């Protein structure tokens, strides 16, 4: 198989720059096929997109019959000449005279009736990802991660990686996946935050991009059991500073996606991403509760928002907004309480507008040893489970803040996807562990 790539001297992107009559070698997959008496039309799919191929019995001679019988999704290599034709998608087609079947496909199992059932389509996800919509979503996801990476590196953050096997909860025991670690009990990480907090005493500003896991049974459009978590932590930063970072990051991502993948975004979303110039509004949890009560929700101060409340609140906005000052009882133990109002924390969620809801959570951490120890006890947790996390507070831990952002949540909002499972290659949900 070595040398196969020599087959290609053009692709669906470069071909539009070639003039009529230029001879090319292409490789790719047969996306669609139509046969009309003595002509066969293939839509060839490659890394960059699609290109129309035309084969006729005159050029192909005896091979015409065999070529017209190549099944869709076969991998092929072809030779032919470029011809401009306004009727062809992209304005160019290739008249082929030589075809090699590199890997012949079986009969494609995705029939119109399979395509009607989302569950059946996810059972065949290893194949359905080849479709134009998944392709565009996954390309946008790659560009989103690239944009976030650029933002952090341009701003002097250091990438760290944290372990997946851990021994105690970051975000509460209810959503921990437990597993057997030889003869001990371990869990899958819910967040890399604690490891980031250790690392800021080396690098000041760090970020991670790696999966987090949640044993969350909730069947909503926004929960996965495994998601890609982008997290950042900054030393000598307070809660206001970290909200500024989140806002800058989201604006950077939106602008970069308009540059990197404008066509893919427009194909999936139906429109370009609107520029976000205005400052993100910051409303308090108390104000959010008032809005919800006015809208008729039966929610009282101190309760967390459920999925319906979050949706209703975020429908009130058309650009992202922060909700800050969540009650102490609703947030994990590491959150610093507001010194002027200890019943609330220095924490916030960044909400996507138009009903999409939470895309990040962040806030200021407790950096003092005695304070953290007393809060761990006050919340009924066992300090022994947080040994090293407490200990780093004995050795020069400055005030610091950070946040976590779910990639699938952001992508779902930006592309207006029905569900977060559409925003990842092979989703994991309570009912889906295959493929
Ligand atoms: O709000 P969460 O639970 O916050 C944390 O984990 C913090 N320790 C992060 C930090 O401060 N470093 O999760 C952060 C974000 C959420 O806002 C959401 O975007 C995403 O992670 N997320 C999920 N995405 C998909 N499915 C799930 N089950 C998710 N749980 C959280
Ligand atoms: Mg949260």
């Amino acid at each position: 198989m070595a040398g196969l790539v020599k087959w290609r001297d053009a692709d669906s992107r470069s071909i539009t720059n070639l003039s009529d009559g230029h001879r090319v070698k292409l490789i790719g997959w047969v996306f669609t096929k139509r046969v009309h008496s003595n002509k066969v039309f293939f839509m060839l799919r490659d890394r960059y997109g699609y290109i129309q191929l035309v084969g006729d019995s005159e050029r192909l001679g005896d091979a015409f019959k065999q070529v017209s019988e190549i099944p869709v999704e076969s991998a092929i290599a072809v030779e032919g000449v470029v011809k401009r034709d306004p009727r062809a998608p992209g304005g160019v087609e290739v008249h082929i005279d030589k075809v090699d079947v590199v890997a012949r496909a079986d009969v494609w199992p995705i029939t119109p009736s399979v395509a009607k059932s989302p569950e059946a389509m996810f059972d065949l996800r290893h194949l359905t990802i080849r479709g134009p919509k998944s392709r565009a979503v996954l390309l946008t996801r790659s560009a989103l991660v690239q944009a976030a990476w650029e933002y952090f590196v341009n701003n002097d953050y250091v990438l760290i990686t944290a372990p997946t096997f851990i021994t105690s909860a970051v975000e509460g025991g209810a959503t921990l996946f437990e597993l057997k670690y030889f003869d001990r009990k371990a869990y899958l990480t819910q967040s890399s935050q604690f490891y980031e907090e250790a690392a800021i005493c080396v690098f000041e500003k760090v970020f991670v991009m790696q999966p987090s896991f949640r044993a969350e049974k909730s069947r909503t459009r926004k929960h996965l059991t495994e998601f890609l978590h982008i997290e950042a932590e900054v030393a000598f930063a307070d809660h206001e500073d970290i909200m500024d970072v989140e806002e800058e990051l989201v604006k950077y991502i939106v602008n970069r996606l308009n540059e990197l993948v404008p066509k893919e975004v427009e194909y999936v979303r139906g429109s370009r991403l609107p520029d976000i110039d205005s400052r993100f509004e910051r409303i308090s949890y108390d104000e959010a509760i008032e809005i919800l009560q006015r809208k008729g929700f039966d929610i009282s101060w101190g309760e967390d928002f459920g999925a319906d409340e979050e949706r209703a609140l975020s429908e009130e906005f058309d650009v992202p907004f922060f909700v800050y000052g969540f009650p102490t009882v609703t947030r994990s133990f590491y959150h610093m309480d507001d010194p002027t109002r200890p019943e609330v924390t220095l924490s916030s969620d960044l909400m996507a507008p138009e009903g999409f809801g939470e895309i990040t959570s962040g806030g200021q951490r407790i950096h003092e040893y005695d304070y953290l120890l007393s809060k761990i006890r006050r919340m009924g947790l066992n300090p022994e489970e947080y040994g090293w996390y407490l200990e780093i507070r004995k050795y020069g831990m400055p005030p610091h803040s950070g946040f976590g952002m779910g990639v699938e949540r952001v992508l779902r909002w930006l592309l207006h996807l029905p569900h977060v499972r559409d925003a990842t290659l092979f989703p994991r949900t309570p009912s889906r562990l295959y493929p």
Side-chain angles (χ1 to χ4, degrees), residues 171 214 304 310 326 331 334-335 348-350 358-362 404 409:
E171 295 301 327
R214 305 285 168 103
D304 220 342
E310 206 182 295
F326 284 89
R331 295 270 136 158
Y334 57 73
H335 284 90
S348 50
D349 280 2
L350 180 59
E358 178 186 338
I359 51 173
T360 80
S361 280
R409 295 264 185 106

Side-chain angles (χ1 to χ4, degrees), residues 137-151:
V137 171
L138 295 168
L139 271 174
T140 308
R141 178 182 163 109
S142 169
L144 190 163
V145 172
Q146 177 186 336
W149 182 287
E150 285 173 3
Y151 172 82

Side-chain angles (χ1 to χ4, degrees), residues 42-58:
F42 289 127
M43 192 57 77
L44 185 78
R45 172 173 61 76
D46 69 12
R47 146 79 185 88
Y48 300 101
Y50 302 89
I51 175 138
Q52 181 156 293
L53 309 180
V54 188
D56 59 46
S57 51
E58 215 174 292

Side-chain angles (χ1 to χ4, degrees), residues 149-158 205 245 248 252:
W149 182 287
E150 285 173 3
Y151 172 82
F152 288 123
V153 171
N154 292 346
N155 286 286
D156 261 356
Y157 286 72
V158 173
K205 302 203 269 188
V245 171
E248 260 185 41
Y252 186 86

